[in-house]
């Protein structure tokens, strides 16, 4: 017997519970409800304007937590394998 076998705080068994043997009468999938009534009057939340410029290798490595030398090494490996590292991943 282990230490956890003689616990006093175990939940009691509920004799009323039983296993459901028959399937439910109708399958009702989840669906999206109607839009709120005041949806058209709600203000548009602020959103940053996306930049049309790509990120530099340094910016990407900062976002990923690495340093620029790792990014340059990966680009060099990709070039050695014949990959276009700018467009292929």
């Amino acid at each position: 017997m282990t230490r956890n076998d003689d616990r006093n705080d175990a939940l009691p068994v509920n004799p009323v519970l039983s296993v459901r043997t028959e399937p439910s009468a109708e399958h009702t999938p989840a669906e999206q409800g109607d839009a709120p009534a005041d949806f058209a009057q709600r203000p548009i939340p602020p959103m940053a304007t996306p930049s049309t410029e790509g990120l530099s290798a340094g910016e990407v490595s900062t976002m990923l937590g690495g340093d620029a030398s790792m990014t340059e090494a990966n680009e060099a490996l990709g070039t050695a394998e014949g990959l276009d590292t700018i467009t292929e991943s």
Side-chain angles (χ1 to χ4, degrees):
M1 184 181 269
T2 64
R3 182 175 162 222
N4 292 333
D5 289 338
D6 56 356
R7 291 179 33 184
N8 293 330
D9 60 344
L11 296 174
V13 176
N14 187 346
V16 179
L17 295 178
S18 63
V19 178
R20 186 184 320 170
T21 57
E22 72 280 345
S24 61
E26 181 180 332
H27 174 68
T28 308
E31 296 179 4
Q32 181 173 347
D34 296 331
D38 64 339
F39 181 73
Q41 290 79 26
R42 290 184 181 182
I44 298 173
M47 186 169 67
T49 305
S51 171
T52 58
E53 298 177 11
L55 298 175
S56 68
E59 291 171 327
V60 171
S61 63
T62 300
M63 287 175 41
L64 297 176
D67 57 3
S69 64
M70 292 175 60
T71 305
E72 292 169 1
N74 287 334
E75 288 178 356
L77 287 172
T79 304
E81 293 175 350
L83 301 174
D84 182 7
T85 58
I86 303 300
T87 59
E88 294 182 12
S89 56

